[in-house]
Amino acid sequence: MITLKKHTSQILVHILFWMLFVFVSLSVFSQYYWRENPFLQYLSILVVIVYVNNLLLLPFFIKKRLYIIYVFVFAAISFFATQLYCNVFAQCGCSIMKCLSDYLWQTLVPLIFFSFIWMLYRFLDKQDEVEQVKKEHLEMELKFLKSQINPHVLFNNLNTIYSYALEKPKETPELILMLSDNLKHVLYESNAKTVSLEKELQFIDNYMTFQGIRTEGVKHINYNKSIQSSEKQIAPLLLICIIENAFKHSTLGSDISVSITEKNGVLECVCLNDYDKEKVTTEDFKIGLQNLEKRLQLIYKEDYKLEVFKDEVYKVYLKLKLS
C-alpha cells in the first residue's frame, strides 16, 4: 500500500511538471503558432533524454560513485541537446553562445528537476530501509531478551510441580493448570507488543503461588497489589524479571516483599529482599536487571524509571507509564 502511494505520487509529480513546463515554454515563445512551435517538436526528444538520464545514466554513475564523470556527461548532454534544438528545430541561425543563453534552460530545467526528484525518492527509500532494519533489529533483540527470561520461570515452576506431585498429589492438577496458563502467556501472549495488565498480573499471581509453595518454611513472602484499571496495556514479562531475581538471589530465611500498584495509568512495582552483600557485584546477580534495563530502554524510552538500592535490603523500584 505504501509502495503504491509512493509510485502514485511520483507519477503525479512527473505529470504536473511536464504540464507546467510546456505551458511556460509556450508562453515564452508566443510568437509561434502552437502547431508550428519548434519546442513542441523537440519535446518528444527532450522527454527521451530526461528519462534515459533518470533510468540509465544517473543510477549507473551514482552506483559506481563516478560523480565527476557524470557531471561532464550531464553537461555534454545539455550542450548537444541545446544545439540540436537551435540548429534543427528552431533553425535560428544563432551563434553557439547565443543559442546557449537563449535555449539552454529548456534542456537544463527538466534534467535538473528530475535528477533531483530521483535522488529525493532514492533518499526516502534508503531511509525506509534503515527504519525497517532498525525495527527488525529491535524485534530480534526483544525476542532474545525475553528468551533469556522464560527458562528460569518455567523450570522453577516444573520443579515445584514435581515436588508437589510427590508430597500432595491430589493438589497437583491445580498447579498444572496454573503452569498451563503461564506457558500460554509466555509462548503466545508475550509475543505481542503489549498485553493487558490483567493477564500479566495473573501470570505474576501464578508465579507467586508457585514460589510460596517452593519456598515454604524457607522464606517469608509478602505479596500485595492494588490495581485501579486492569485493562491498561503493559509490555509482557517485565515485572517477572524483578520478582524472579529477588527469589533467585535472596538468602535462606529471608523476607521477600513484592508490591504492585497502578493508579491513573502509572504502575509502580517495589521488590525488597535480603541478599548476600559479597555476591551483589557479580555478573550473575545483575544479569536479570541488565536485561530488564535494555528492554525498558527499547520499549518505554523516557516513560519509565528504574532504581536499585543496596542498603540493608536489596530494593528494586520500577515506575511505568502504561498505555
Side-chain angles (χ1 to χ4, degrees):
M1 188 66 182
I2 295 175
T3 303
L4 179 61
K5 289 182 178 179
K6 187 182 297 182
H7 288 323
T8 302
S9 67
Q10 286 180 306
I11 293 171
L12 287 174
V13 167
H14 283 240
I15 292 173
L16 290 173
F17 172 83
W18 285 119
M19 289 175 63
L20 179 63
F21 182 66
V22 170
F23 175 78
V24 171
S25 297
L26 292 178
S27 299
V28 170
F29 296 101
S30 57
Q31 66 269 31
Y32 294 100
Y33 293 102
W34 279 51
R35 184 176 298 178
E36 298 174 358
N37 196 316
F39 170 75
L40 292 178
Q41 300 168 19
Y42 174 65
L43 183 63
S44 59
I45 295 178
L46 181 59
V47 169
V48 172
I49 292 172
V50 166
Y51 289 108
V52 167
N53 175 66
N54 263 45
L55 299 176
L56 297 176
L57 299 180
L58 190 55
F60 173 79
F61 285 103
I62 294 297
K63 183 178 180 181
K64 298 294 184 180
R65 299 179 182 275
L66 302 173
Y67 307 120
I68 297 177
I69 296 177
Y70 175 72
V71 170
F72 283 108
V73 171
F74 186 92
I77 291 173
S78 302
F79 174 81
F80 287 112
T82 303
Q83 293 303 313
L84 176 68
Y85 177 66
C86 276
N87 298 312
V88 177
F89 293 94
Q91 297 181 355
C92 63
C94 305
S95 65
I96 293 177
M97 295 307 298
K98 174 65 175 175
C99 182
L100 291 176
S101 65
D102 289 349
Y103 302 112
L104 180 61
W105 69 272
Q106 287 186 299
T107 305
L108 277 181
V109 168
L111 275 172
I112 292 175
F113 176 80
F114 285 113
S115 296
F116 170 77
I117 291 298
W118 183 89
M119 288 186 284
L120 174 63
Y121 277 98
R122 183 174 182 267
F123 171 77
L124 294 176
D125 288 338
K126 290 291 183 182
Q127 289 296 106
D128 290 341
E129 290 176 8
V130 170
E131 290 300 319
Q132 184 63 29
V133 169
K134 287 182 178 179
K135 182 179 178 181
E136 292 175 358
H137 177 73
L138 174 63
E139 291 175 352
M140 290 177 62
E141 187 166 354
L142 288 175
K143 287 180 180 179
F144 173 71
L145 292 172
K146 285 197 288 187
S147 71
Q148 292 180 305
I149 301 168
N150 299 344
H152 297 298
V153 179
L154 298 178
F155 285 137
N156 285 342
N157 290 351
L158 285 171
N159 289 333
T160 301
I161 291 176
Y162 174 75
S163 301
Y164 227 62
L166 296 177
E167 299 174 5
K168 301 177 182 180
K170 291 183 180 181
E171 299 179 28
T172 302
E174 185 178 351
L175 292 181
I176 294 176
L177 286 176
M178 287 186 183
L179 179 59
S180 176
D181 288 340
N182 280 12
L183 280 170
K184 178 183 176 182
H185 185 75
V186 170
L187 297 177
Y188 300 107
E189 295 169 350
S190 67
N191 289 326
K193 185 178 180 180
T194 59
V195 297
S196 69
L197 184 58
E198 181 180 13
K199 289 182 178 180
E200 189 67 15
L201 291 180
Q202 182 61 52
F203 175 75
I204 299 297
D205 291 344
N206 290 346
Y207 177 81
M208 295 300 292
T209 299
F210 278 106
Q211 290 300 326
I213 296 170
R214 193 171 71 88
T215 61
E216 187 176 3
V218 178
K219 298 177 183 180
H220 179 261
I221 301 173
N222 180 26
Y223 173 52
N224 61 81
K225 61 181 181 178
S226 174
I227 306 300
Q228 188 179 72
S229 175
S230 59
E231 296 303 314
K232 292 290 184 179
Q233 297 289 305
I234 184 173
L237 305 178
L238 287 178
L239 304 181
I240 195 64
C241 295
I242 300 173
I243 299 170
E244 198 268 343
N245 211 51
F247 280 99
K248 185 178 179 181
H249 298 291
S250 58
T251 56
L252 293 176
S254 64
D255 292 335
I256 298 175
S257 175
V258 177
S259 173
I260 302 173
T261 60
E262 182 275 327
K263 185 177 181 181
N264 297 327
V266 177
L267 181 138
E268 293 180 296
C269 177
V270 182
C271 192
L272 300 94
N273 64 277
D274 297 324
Y275 67 102
D276 188 338
K277 294 183 179 180
E278 294 181 359
K279 295 181 180 180
V280 75
T281 57
T282 64
E283 289 301 315
D284 182 58
F285 193 92
K286 295 187 292 182
I287 189 169
L289 294 179
Q290 288 174 343
N291 286 342
L292 175 63
E293 181 76 30
K294 289 179 181 178
R295 290 190 66 205
L296 289 168
Q297 289 174 356
L298 289 168
I299 301 171
Y300 286 94
K301 303 186 187 326
E302 304 297 326
D303 292 332
Y304 81 94
K305 182 178 182 182
L306 179 67
E307 295 179 323
V308 178
F309 303 93
K310 305 170 186 176
D311 299 319
E312 293 302 315
V313 296
Y314 197 90
K315 177 183 177 181
V316 179
Y317 171 78
L318 173 65
K319 183 178 181 180
L320 286 178
K321 184 179 180 181
L322 304 179
S323 57

